Amino acid sequence: MLPKHIGIIMDGNGRWAQQQGKPRLYGHQVGANRAKDIVLAARDRGIGYVTLFAFSTENWKRPISEVQGLFLLMEEFFRENADELAESGVKVNVIGDRSRLPRSIRTVAANAERITANASRIIVNIALNYGGRWDVASALRRIAEDVAAGRLDASDIDEDLISSRLATAGQPDPDLIIRTGGESRISNFMLWQAAYAEIYVTQTLWPDFRDEDLDAAISFFLSRTRRYGGLKTAPHNGRGEGG
Ligand code: FPP
């Protein structure tokens, strides 16, 4: 079975730009265009959910000029692409701590969510100022508030309840995570949700990642599924049998 939800750690924009003798931001710009094309390719292949790691809670450590450039790029991305994404059946959902983001991004991101709200072919989560630990901590804080207010009992807290309070509430967990740029780290991406994901690492730098590379990642996923298929009922059922 195809993956239901693909998470993508889009790494290597800076190195790619450097190889071309261009500024790092140029790599991010080409990377943003790639992101759009890959979402459309995932839609055409019948994938229901894609999560793109666009800005992590750790990315604030980069030089201010790069952070500001990334924000400008993202603002432009939302502004210029929202209508086309809506027409293409792509529903945009921004996940992450919005409170620290510039107001201008919060506004265009909310507009993109509104414009694409009725699209139903694929949901794309754009992780902005997102970290897996932030996600779990926020969920636990809300649960603790409910317990303190008497709306929940501590004994109600189980895995499903925690999942239902994460930024991806109601969505299937990612069953395939792609990382470009060759590093084999999860880098604080969807820590809770990735518990049973297959992880596909490619040396390809994100701006070079093409539809064929997506197909290679999906084939990898399918081969992993097949490997366990004869032995256990369902390796990707989120509960670990065979996983
Ligand atoms: C990692 O490459 C990439 C990022 C930190 C930013 C990813 C952002 C985009 C692709 C643009 C925005 C996308 C959307 C969907 C709005 P790196 O800079 O760490 O590369 P390096 O490892 O080669 O230095």
Side-chain angles (χ1 to χ4, degrees):
M1 234 180 31
L2 279 173
K4 292 186 173 67
H5 184 165
I6 302 181
I8 309 183
I9 303 176
M10 307 178 288
D11 202 6
N13 295 343
R15 275 167 282 165
W16 182 86
Q18 218 165 10
Q19 285 171 7
Q20 320 275 316
K22 299 263 172 57
R24 291 175 58 82
L25 268 174
Y26 177 70
H28 293 315
Q29 190 157 14
V30 175
N33 293 332
R34 253 351 13 253
K36 187 172 84 177
D37 290 350
I38 290 298
V39 166
L40 296 178
R43 175 206 62 182
D44 292 343
R45 283 151 181 76
I47 309 296
Y49 300 82
V50 167
T51 299
L52 300 172
F53 206 7
F55 191 87
S56 77
T57 47
E58 287 73 36
N59 285 151
W60 294 101
K61 294 182 198 139
R62 297 189 175 210
I64 181 74
S65 56
E66 182 166 343
V67 171
Q68 283 176 346
L70 267 170
F71 285 155
L72 266 180
L73 195 69
M74 286 172 197
E75 203 182 311
E76 219 173 84
F77 180 88
F78 286 119
R79 193 178 296 119
E80 286 176 4
N81 292 302
D83 289 331
E84 186 193 331
L85 291 172
E87 281 160 24
S88 311
V90 180
K91 179 176 168 142
V92 172
N93 180 40
V94 174
I95 61 172
D97 181 359
R98 299 186 195 213
S99 65
R100 268 189 82 190
L101 292 174
R103 181 179 297 276
S104 51
I105 295 217
R106 282 186 273 159
T107 306
V108 287
N111 280 340
E113 288 176 328
R114 186 177 44 76
I115 291 167
T116 62
N118 295 321
S120 58
R121 291 187 64 190
I122 187 167
I123 292 183
V124 57
N125 299 312
I126 300 187
L128 265 187
N129 196 20
Y130 176 86
R133 289 183 173 183
W134 165 85
D135 202 358
V136 173
S138 312
L140 295 184
R141 191 180 319 112
R142 283 193 291 272
I143 290 170
E145 282 164 4
D146 282 350
V147 171
R151 292 186 291 267
L152 266 183
D153 195 83
S155 62
D156 296 329
I157 301 171
D158 59 12
E159 295 183 15
D160 287 340
L161 180 78
I162 293 172
S163 293
S164 76
R165 301 300 181 97
L166 296 172
T168 49
Q171 302 183 7
D173 284 338
D175 31 16
L176 170 63
I177 291 182
I178 298 171
R179 181 166 188 150
T180 61
E183 307 280 1
S184 41
R185 284 193 293 274
I186 198 84
S187 296
N188 200 14
F189 183 57
M190 303 187 99
L191 293 180
W192 177 277
Q193 298 92 326
Y196 299 105
E198 296 289 345
I199 305 199
Y200 178 80
V201 175
T202 172
Q203 297 297 321
T204 303
L205 305 175
W206 177 250
D208 282 333
F209 193 84
R210 299 274 173 277
D211 293 8
E212 303 86 84
D213 300 295
L214 178 67
D215 289 331
I218 293 174
S219 295
F220 161 83
F221 174 82
L222 293 173
S223 74
R224 302 294 297 170
T225 309
R226 273 200 297 273
R227 215 170 88 179
Y228 293 113
L231 300 175
K232 299 271 166 76
T233 43
H236 295 289
N237 60 5
R239 286 291 178 272
E241 286 103 315

